[in-house]
Amino acid sequence: MTVTALLFASYADVLGREAVEMSLPAGATAADALAWLRALPGGDALPPAPLLAVNLEYARAGTVLHSGDELAVIPPVAGG
Amino acid sequence: MTVTALLFASYADVLGREAVEMSLPAGATAADALAWLRALPGGDALPPAPLLAVNLEYARAGTVLHSGDELAVIPPVAGG
Amino acid sequence: MRAAIVHGAIDVAALLAEVASASHGATVLFIGTVRDVNDERAVTGIDYTAYVPMAEREMQRILREAAERFDTDAAVVEHRTGHLELGDASVAIAVAHARRAQAYAASRYILEALKQRVPIWKREAYADGTREWVAQQGAMTAHQD
Amino acid sequence: MRAAIVHGAIDVAALLAEVASASHGATVLFIGTVRDVNDERAVTGIDYTAYVPMAEREMQRILREAAERFDTDAAVVEHRTGHLELGDASVAIAVAHARRAQAYAASRYILEALKQRVPIWKREAYADGTREWVAQQGAMTAHQD
């Protein structure tokens, strides 16, 4: 299945992009997607347990993904 | 000595005026001035212990007045 | 730091501009406006009156107290007098500070102190045609001896 | 109740007008602006970026939470993204309420929740020419499992 990963701020900087199409096996979790991203060049600069969101909602690492989901890796926020 | 009394809001209403020139004996206090005002027609509607100010500062009833002072009788405030 | 009794509409944009500075990251503006209901009575307008020189002096003192307590150097307050219609602003307080917690706390302090002791009075006009002088709950009402 | 990420200057007068009503006597406006110093470093500007659809959704949720906690029916928040100069407003929150205590409390609640969990990021530019992504102290930083 295909899941889109979105990267922001310093995380986009370390991976050199803001979005990645990931091809993941059925039943993959947000944690699996994160491992996939951390295996990319520069990906080891992502923290082991960053904030994650699936389809615009904060999500646990164990969340099971579905084809077409949008997974966001969220750096520490700094609004205000 | 002459002291000017200022009246505001409901106190001005009950006395029918906003300022009164008072002729008081030397050594008179704010409490004496208040008694003078309460003896005027309608003056008994003033409370026995209202807020008082002398020369723009809140003052105790025992404050000794001087010629030319401005004594204000202050109804419960309602700014905001 | 400026405190004034004003007779026309309060210009809140001007108050914000007055406290603005690149050294302050947080600005809190409070605006008090005439409500259509008070104590379950339908209000149609309010006349505010003040002992102007004492009110300005007392508001200045409150700004100095806020400056001491909250390290505020940018605060301004204006209170309007005269006839106000529903929705009109009777008071506006603008505070800018490097820290948001202090900006909020100073704003609230100035508002509460103003309501408690600045010599300003209001006469509410009601839908039934009557008018009444109204006291602020919690305001000082008797001198301290 | 409206929450938006905006790309140009925030129009605070429009926000105030949006929450104004004769049933609310108290309006609190918070404005966050770019400060010239952060952590003792001289700042020359900030670039804000956001995960826009999630940020708007999360800000909407915060407004609903404030409505439940403080009985607020008039609240609006705008956060700006893009390049901001010193003194520019990055965020503005307007809350109107019948009661001043609730207006202040709701304003503060919305601000703190926004800083803690709305996906917005800032990169500060410093006088020495460097730039750095900065995290909000107290913001969520790891997922909860």
Side-chain angles (χ1 to χ4, degrees):
Chain A
M1 64 181 182
T2 302
V3 169
T4 304
L6 300 182
L7 300 153
F8 298 94
S10 59
Y11 296 174
D13 287 355
V14 298
L15 281 166
R17 43 188 154 174
E18 297 186 331
V20 189
E21 295 291 311
M22 301 182 291
S23 197
L24 299 172
T29 63
D32 296 330
L34 180 66
W36 193 99
L37 291 166
R38 296 190 78 220
L40 293 177
D44 53 353
L46 293 178
L51 281 172
L52 299 169
V54 175
N55 300 335
L56 310 181
E57 298 284 346
Y58 283 112
R60 292 162 186 268
T63 303
V64 174
L65 301 175
H66 300 91
S67 191
D69 277 357
E70 185 173 277
L71 173 87
V73 190
I74 310 269
V77 304
Chain B
M1 65 182 182
T2 300
V3 169
T4 303
L6 299 182
L7 300 154
F8 299 94
S10 59
Y11 297 175
D13 287 354
V14 297
L15 281 166
R17 44 191 156 172
E18 297 186 331
V20 187
E21 294 292 310
M22 300 182 290
S23 196
L24 298 173
T29 63
D32 295 330
L34 180 66
W36 193 97
L37 291 165
R38 296 189 79 221
L40 292 177
D44 53 355
L46 293 178
L51 282 170
L52 299 168
V54 175
N55 301 334
L56 309 180
E57 298 284 347
Y58 284 112
R60 292 161 186 270
T63 304
V64 174
L65 300 175
H66 300 90
S67 192
D69 278 356
E70 184 173 280
L71 172 87
V73 189
I74 310 267
V77 305
Chain C
M1 299 206 304
R2 186 176 63 82
I5 297 292
V6 299
H7 308 288
I10 296 173
D11 182 350
V12 296
L15 299 193
L16 289 173
E18 194 170 336
V19 298
S21 129
S23 62
H24 298 132
T27 302
V28 173
L29 172 71
F30 176 86
I31 309 172
T33 49
V34 177
R35 276 185 74 200
D36 54 9
V37 173
N38 188 18
D39 262 342
E40 302 183 357
R41 296 182 72 177
V43 173
T44 58
I46 298 183
D47 287 293
Y48 279 94
T49 180
Y51 182 15
V52 176
M54 182 173 169
E56 291 188 334
R57 192 169 172 147
E58 203 63 30
M59 291 195 296
Q60 272 291 350
R61 174 175 292 149
I62 291 166
L63 293 183
R64 285 197 305 274
E65 291 168 3
E68 282 167 27
R69 287 177 187 232
F70 307 105
D71 199 25
T72 334
D73 58 4
V76 57
V77 53
E78 287 189 356
H79 199 297
R80 181 174 173 186
T81 55
H83 180 72
L84 277 70
E85 306 279 349
L86 296 186
D88 283 351
S90 54
V91 63
I93 301 165
V95 176
H97 201 287
R99 306 269 164 232
R100 63 191 186 276
Q102 277 99 316
Y104 277 102
S107 173
R108 189 76 198 273
Y109 177 83
I110 293 163
L111 177 61
E112 298 303 320
L114 183 154
K115 284 178 173 278
Q116 216 235 337
R117 59 183 156 103
V118 175
I120 298 171
W121 302 277
K122 66 177 175 187
R123 184 162 51 179
E124 291 182 342
Y126 303 104
D128 62 10
T130 60
R131 300 194 300 176
E132 213 167 277
W133 293 103
V134 178
Q136 169 66 33
Q137 251 196 331
M140 293 196 306
T141 54
H143 59 68
Q144 297 108 31
D145 271 311
Chain D
M1 300 207 302
R2 188 177 60 83
I5 298 291
V6 299
H7 308 288
I10 296 174
D11 181 349
V12 296
L15 299 193
L16 288 173
E18 196 170 333
V19 299
S21 129
S23 62
H24 299 132
T27 301
V28 173
L29 173 72
F30 176 86
I31 309 172
T33 49
V34 177
R35 276 184 73 201
D36 54 8
V37 173
N38 188 19
D39 261 342
E40 301 183 359
R41 297 184 71 178
V43 173
T44 58
I46 298 184
D47 287 293
Y48 279 95
T49 179
Y51 183 13
V52 175
M54 183 175 168
E56 292 188 334
R57 193 168 170 144
E58 203 63 30
M59 290 196 295
Q60 272 291 351
R61 174 174 293 149
I62 290 166
L63 293 184
R64 285 197 304 273
E65 290 169 4
E68 282 166 26
R69 287 176 188 232
F70 306 105
D71 199 25
T72 335
D73 59 3
V76 57
V77 53
E78 286 189 358
H79 199 296
R80 182 174 172 185
T81 56
H83 180 71
L84 277 70
E85 306 279 348
L86 296 186
D88 283 351
S90 54
V91 63
I93 300 165
V95 176
H97 201 288
R99 306 268 164 230
R100 64 191 187 274
Q102 277 98 315
Y104 278 101
S107 173
R108 189 77 196 274
Y109 177 84
I110 293 163
L111 177 61
E112 298 304 322
L114 183 154
K115 285 178 173 277
Q116 216 238 335
R117 58 183 157 103
V118 176
I120 299 171
W121 302 276
K122 65 177 174 186
R123 184 162 53 179
E124 291 182 341
Y126 304 104
D128 63 9
T130 61
R131 298 194 301 176
E132 214 168 277
W133 292 104
V134 179
Q136 169 66 34
Q137 250 195 333
M140 293 195 306
T141 54
H143 59 71
Q144 298 109 30
D145 272 310

